Amino acid sequence: MALEITGIAIPSLICIFLFLWGASLFFAAAQSPQGAMAIFVVGKQWMWHLQHPEGPREINQLHIPVDVPVRLTMTSEDVIHDFFVPAFRMKMDVVPGRYTSEWFEATKPGSYHLFCAQYCGTLHSGMTGTIEVMSLTGYAQWLRENSTAESMAQMGLQLFSRLGCDTCHLSDGTGAGPALQGRFGKQVTLRDGQNRVMDGAYVRQSILDPASLPLPNYRPVMPTFRGQVSEEHILQLIAYIKSLASGERTQAP
Amino acid sequence: MNEENPSVETYIVVFVALLILAALTTGIAYINLGTLNTVVALAIAAVKMSLVGLFFMHLWYSRGLTRIVVLAGFFWLALMVLFTLADVFSRSWIKPPGP
Amino acid sequence: MFFIGGAAAVMMRLHLIEPAGALVQPETYNKLFTMHGVVMVFFFLIPSIPATLGNFLVPMMIGARDLAFPRLNLLSWYVYITGAAFTLYALISGGVDTGWTFYTPLSSHYLNTHVITTALGVFITGFSSILTGLNFIVTIHKMRAPGMTWKRMPLFLWSIYAASVIFVLATPVLAIALFLVGLERIFHVGIFDPAIGGDPVLFQHLFWFYSHPAVYIMILPGMGVVSELVTCFSKKKPFGYIFIAYSSLAIAVFSFLVWGHHLFVSSQSVYAGFISSALSFALAIPSAIKVFNWTATLYKGSISYQAPMLYALGFIGLFTMGGLTGLFLASLATGVHLHDTYFVIAHFHYIMVGGAVMAYLGGIHFWWPKITGRLYHDGWARFAALVIFVGFNLTFFPQYMLGYLGMPRRYAVYPAEFQVLDVMSSAGASHTRRRLLDSIRLSSLVHPLWTRSRIESLERERPGMGDAIAASHR
Ligand SMILES: [Cu+2]
Ligand SMILES: [Cu+2]
């Protein structure tokens, strides 16, 4: 009898321990640390598009500095993909229509595999790449060498005028649409009284389906931009609208 | 099991009731009740479903095991809906920081 | 009996179609693993034990002449054939490359292969499962011979009963999910398409609400067979009969609550992941009870190592391996890393092949004399059991390591550093060095052998009723 009880208790305890350990790490992985470096990822049959906030864009390759937490914000242009870096023990599905995120902190410079881990069609197994982890100085140099004329937010600004957003969203608030200065991250009250926070997903929804987010005091005249903007464009527009809120000055070059 | 069969009249009454309810659903779809629209439509659907189950499928007249079987079906359906909704509603509790 | 013979024959045909080509294009490769998954899961593993051993043994074990609804049983057989015909048609006319999981929006919007035909085949076959499950449940409830109380029922019946409950409760959801995929493909109704307000992850919920319990449909009857074999060949009463019996029911009920463990990285809520991980750990308890009780039954038994017993022992070992590695997948942090890698492939092949198929073979050998009135060749059968055990481990054990190192599943090409392990696995699978690794060729080990052991038991059969064990199943 005593034997049986120990026989049951020990495996149970091991299991409970395994469960709690796994769960605590899982929660830690779900919340990225403050001040993590941001990278934006768009999965597309069958390649990865990545962009740094400073502007450089990469395909199937990502350069990051060592010992710095990196947070990926990901979405997909078509089907579900999955951003999997075995060496970092991280993976997260990249789902069309929403933003998912994952974060990691590389501890050793080197070159690591990037796989798509969610079956996504014919060339699924070709949807691979590398993560190049560089020393801090190496990374700074890489950024300099690959710097683009514009940052992501500036690209967003360009789009903002090219797509004619600025004809309605005048900065002084006199246009047909609300001024977007200082709005990002704040609460928005919709016409039916619902409260939402203006985050990336909200802006994305505004651009693609403005009718679903009617504001009081405005006529719903904003057209949908579905089909005119890619997911990458949307990310740039978000970066721009966000920059309007953080007071950081974004000027046309 | 002591199953007395329902009479033809019962069938007809139930059938007419179903038709009326169907008309009601259609009618209500034209009136804007906000979120209530879905609630009302689902409620009517539930009533219709119970009518079909109770009379056309003879649940009214059977007991014991048969009823347990049916309740089990609903219970499992509820589990499915519950767990799926639990995901949907708790998604935003820990929000991915987003762009 | 014609029924069973026919079932086995069709299954074999389905199998023989499948182990295909060596060096193929990624597209073909994708079609291969899809077909492998669809055929194996829906047309072999799920119906195998219930349709063959179940149909034969359930009436016999409870002392009834036949199932409660013999005609319904025949209908379920025809329905199965119809479903299989659709799926075979899809296969012959160009194949389908959704993966057996049919994930949206890939399946609903992006592929132009025969998704609908395949889904229809699976849909139709689902009805066959439901009918069979219904039949077993009614039979067990209503047709037990006087004196055959619940607590005296052979353990096999308990497990078949539990599996039938899952058949009836889960299969409709799969049917609905596939039906919606069809609707979405044809009419673009927008249930899964995010562009018009749908949710692609909803499909995963519906799919796994069926498919997690479905893995227990596959393994529960196998557990039942093993319970019978272990008691018979160690010449003891089953240790903890009531625990083994109730653990089957516990598995049937809890299996419906854990599907979220397939969605840890699907952008499902973190809390939903937490709950399903906890419940998955809980679900390990009834399985562990079974393993402990089998071991306890073996303890101090006088064991005779005949072929069915070898399969049963193989089952216990491999199932334990498969089950314990399941804990690593159920644990959240490791699950994130191992999800969708070869670790998962190895895990479920240990359960499905090492478990369900071994039990199936053991059961077929065990009741073969009872079914056909002839005995298989025992020496060959034992040899086959051993070869399968060794070959199986050679094939799938390296895949655990591959998965841990991060090789994703469903890859037609892969980085060179995985080659050593891949080659080992392929060697186990076919004794042929091949560069690509695919699950279809892995199964080429098991299937020819399986066929061989079946054929040899057919060909080397000798007249006569065989020995006592065969005659007395209880
Ligand atoms: Cu992929
Ligand atoms: Cu599962």
Side-chain angles (χ1 to χ4, degrees):
Chain A
M1 195 62 192
L3 187 73
E4 266 175 57
I5 290 176
T6 39
I8 293 170
I10 291 178
S12 310
L13 285 178
I14 295 179
C15 281
I16 291 173
F17 170 70
L18 272 178
F19 166 68
L20 290 177
W21 191 15
S24 63
L25 288 172
F26 186 63
F27 275 90
Q31 289 152 309
S32 63
Q34 284 292 317
M37 176 182 146
I39 299 283
F40 298 90
V41 182
V42 176
K44 205 172 175 176
Q45 278 179 331
W46 293 278
M47 55 173 106
W48 296 107
H49 291 273
L50 303 107
Q51 186 164 23
H52 298 248
E54 295 83 1
R57 301 168 61 179
E58 303 185 66
I59 289 183
N60 291 345
Q61 221 184 16
L62 174 64
H63 289 81
I64 52 167
V66 72
D67 290 330
V68 172
V70 176
R71 188 186 80 224
L72 308 179
T73 300
M74 311 182 288
T75 189
S76 163
E77 197 75 71
D78 37 48
V79 303
I80 303 179
H81 303 280
D82 187 299
F83 197 97
F84 177 32
V85 188
F88 303 159
R89 303 288 185 267
M90 273 314 290
K91 86 158 58 74
M92 187 66 188
D93 275 10
V94 176
V95 184
R98 68 176 71 155
Y99 292 113
T100 58
S101 83
E102 85 183 42
W103 75 274
F104 44 73
E105 184 176 334
T107 49
K108 238 197 273 173
S111 161
Y112 302 95
H113 283 299
L114 156 65
F115 294 127
C116 173
Q118 182 64 269
Y119 175 61
C120 57
T122 309
L123 292 184
H124 165 56
S125 54
M127 197 166 160
T128 56
T130 47
I131 310 281
E132 305 288 349
V133 178
M134 317 172 88
S135 68
L136 278 174
T137 48
Y139 177 71
Q141 192 188 347
W142 181 87
L143 260 190
R144 262 198 314 284
E145 281 164 11
N146 292 274
S147 71
T148 46
E150 302 164 339
S151 70
M152 264 184 90
Q154 284 163 331
M155 291 178 191
L157 170 60
Q158 296 262 310
L159 281 168
F160 203 73
S161 59
R162 184 150 59 81
L163 294 166
C165 313
D166 53 1
T167 55
C168 294
H169 295 284
L170 300 177
S171 54
D172 55 4
T174 55
L180 296 174
Q181 270 72 9
R183 297 290 293 267
F184 196 90
K186 305 270 160 52
Q187 204 172 50
V188 185
T189 307
L190 300 180
R191 190 171 292 168
D192 60 5
Q194 207 188 334
N195 281 324
R196 293 275 303 264
V197 173
M198 190 193 276
D199 54 6
Y202 181 94
V203 173
R204 184 178 180 281
Q205 192 183 341
S206 292
I207 296 172
L208 296 178
D209 188 10
S212 67
L213 295 171
L215 291 183
N217 313 328
Y218 286 95
R219 286 192 305 121
V221 288
M222 177 164 162
T224 171
F225 287 85
R226 186 179 293 285
Q228 299 175 43
V229 287
S230 66
E231 291 292 347
E232 285 176 272
H233 289 155
I234 297 177
L235 283 169
Q236 289 158 6
L237 283 168
I238 294 173
Y240 168 63
I241 294 174
K242 192 175 178 183
S243 74
L244 290 176
S246 56
E248 147 197 345
R249 284 175 62 79
T250 317
Q251 266 152 11
Chain B
M1 259 183 285
N2 46 348
E3 281 195 24
E4 34 177 308
N5 273 336
S7 62
V8 179
E9 289 91 79
T10 329
Y11 282 142
I12 293 175
V13 171
V14 172
F15 181 67
V16 171
L18 285 175
L19 283 184
I20 295 174
L21 285 171
L24 201 62
T25 319
T26 324
I28 284 193
Y30 288 102
I31 311 169
N32 191 356
L33 301 172
T35 28
L36 267 183
N37 268 28
T38 324
V39 177
V40 172
L42 281 178
I44 296 180
V47 173
K48 283 201 283 191
M49 186 197 59
S50 343
L51 283 179
V52 172
L54 288 175
F55 295 100
F56 289 173
M57 296 170 84
H58 292 198
L59 290 177
W60 187 264
Y61 309 96
S62 49
R63 38 192 65 26
L65 208 52
T66 320
R67 287 198 176 173
I68 294 183
V69 169
V70 173
L71 288 182
F74 282 114
F75 177 70
W76 256 264
L77 180 69
L79 282 183
M80 182 181 93
V81 174
L82 184 83
F83 271 62
T84 306
L85 285 184
D87 164 30
V88 174
F89 287 126
S90 59
R91 260 178 211 169
S92 53
W93 291 359
I94 291 189
K95 246 192 149 46
Chain C
M1 290 312 95
F2 159 75
F3 190 100
I4 294 169
V10 170
M11 281 170 205
M12 308 246 299
R13 277 218 310 282
L14 287 171
H15 280 290
L16 292 177
I17 285 165
E18 188 208 32
L23 294 154
V24 293
Q25 293 300 308
E27 199 173 342
T28 321
Y29 177 86
N30 296 344
K31 290 181 178 166
L32 286 176
F33 73 63
T34 303
M35 256 3 250
H36 169 72
V38 169
V39 169
M40 284 304 188
V41 170
F42 297 116
F43 295 96
F44 175 68
L45 285 167
I46 288 183
S48 63
I49 296 186
T52 52
L53 294 174
N55 275 333
F56 180 72
L57 293 172
V58 168
M60 217 167 69
M61 282 180 164
I62 64 170
R65 268 229 236 89
D66 199 342
L67 292 181
F69 309 115
R71 277 162 174 272
L72 199 63
N73 202 10
L74 192 62
L75 174 68
S76 110
W77 166 241
Y78 286 133
V79 170
Y80 171 82
I81 295 289
T82 317
F86 271 101
T87 308
L88 283 181
Y89 169 76
L91 169 68
I92 293 165
S93 61
V96 58
D97 53 354
T98 53
W100 79 278
T101 45
F102 295 99
Y103 270 19
T104 54
L106 182 65
S107 64
S108 57
H109 290 85
Y110 288 89
L111 295 175
N112 38 27
T113 48
H114 297 267
V115 180
I116 294 193
T117 324
T118 315
L120 195 64
V122 174
F123 182 87
I124 294 174
T125 313
F127 283 97
S128 146
S129 304
I130 298 174
L131 297 181
T132 308
L134 215 64
N135 218 339
F136 285 154
I137 293 181
V138 175
T139 311
I140 293 177
H141 268 285
K142 290 285 168 196
M143 295 182 61
R144 275 170 288 125
M148 173 58 82
T149 58
W150 283 94
K151 305 236 165 102
R152 282 196 203 151
M153 282 197 327
L155 287 165
F156 178 69
L157 291 186
W158 276 101
S159 68
I160 280 279
Y161 181 77
S164 303
V165 170
I166 307 181
F167 267 137
V168 173
L169 288 171
T171 317
V173 179
L174 175 74
I176 293 167
L178 293 179
F179 183 69
L180 289 176
V181 169
L183 273 188
E184 186 102 0
R185 269 184 88 82
I186 302 172
F187 301 113
H188 305 287
V189 286
I191 293 171
F192 305 125
D193 180 6
I196 40 180
D199 184 342
V201 181
L202 175 64
F203 176 82
Q204 298 176 25
H205 279 293
L206 294 180
F207 181 83
W208 289 111
F209 181 81
Y210 163 78
S211 292
H212 186 80
V215 308
Y216 287 97
I217 295 180
M218 306 176 211
I219 196 69
L220 270 170
M223 292 169 155
V225 168
V226 168
S227 304
E228 297 292 328
L229 298 186
V230 165
T231 33
C232 176
F233 287 104
S234 48
K235 304 200 178 61
K236 275 176 68 185
K237 280 219 189 118
F239 179 89
Y241 168 91
I242 206 69
F243 282 99
I244 302 189
Y246 284 167
S247 65
S248 294
L249 292 186
I251 287 178
V253 173
F254 279 105
S255 67
F256 281 95
L257 303 177
V258 298
W259 81 83
H261 63 211
H262 299 267
L263 281 76
F264 286 162
V265 299
S266 70
S267 81
Q268 172 188 247
S269 141
V270 179
Y271 295 94
F274 180 79
I275 303 280
S276 29
S277 168
L279 288 171
S280 305
F281 271 92
L283 190 52
I285 297 172
S287 303
I289 289 180
K290 282 187 194 281
V291 173
F292 285 138
N293 283 359
W294 290 326
T295 325
T297 309
L298 289 173
Y299 180 65
K300 288 196 176 153
S302 58
I303 300 168
S304 65
Y305 295 96
Q306 304 200 23
M309 186 58 166
L310 292 182
Y311 282 113
L313 292 174
F315 174 102
I316 298 179
L318 298 179
F319 177 76
T320 308
M321 280 276 294
L324 287 178
T325 48
L327 289 182
F328 290 90
L329 291 165
S331 165
L332 287 158
T334 43
V336 167
H337 173 56
L338 298 170
H339 179 83
D340 268 342
T341 64
Y342 265 83
F343 196 89
V344 177
I345 309 278
H347 159 70
F348 72 74
H349 279 91
Y350 265 77
I351 303 273
M352 303 285 87
V353 181
V357 174
M358 293 289 262
Y360 180 58
L361 293 177
I364 287 280
H365 277 85
F366 184 56
W367 283 292
W368 192 249
K370 189 96 182 162
I371 296 173
T372 62
R374 289 148 187 250
L375 186 61
Y376 52 85
H377 186 285
D378 193 52
W380 277 109
R382 288 192 206 193
F383 178 67
L386 286 178
V387 174
I388 290 179
F389 184 81
V390 173
F392 172 83
N393 277 302
L394 203 55
T395 306
F396 290 106
F397 195 80
Q399 295 188 3
Y400 277 128
M401 300 188 234
L402 275 175
Y404 174 72
L405 294 176
M407 172 153 167
R409 67 192 288 196
R410 296 171 170 172
Y411 261 34
V413 287
Y414 58 89
E417 74 219 41
F418 296 132
Q419 196 180 4
V420 176
L421 285 167
D422 270 326
V423 168
M424 271 168 67
S425 177
S426 296
S430 55
H431 303 281
T432 314
R433 184 190 149 136
R434 287 165 181 176
R435 218 184 94 255
L436 301 177
L437 173 136
D438 71 358
S439 50
I440 293 90
R441 269 182 290 106
L442 298 182
S443 45
S444 69
L445 162 80
V446 183
H447 303 309
L449 269 179
W450 183 69
T451 329
R452 193 160 18 119
S453 77
R454 287 299 305 277
I455 290 170
E456 121 221 321
S457 47
L458 278 165
E459 284 179 351
R460 293 175 190 278
E461 65 206 356
R462 50 177 148 79
M465 234 335 254
D467 53 32
I469 50 120
S472 68
H473 61 272
R474 180 151 274 262

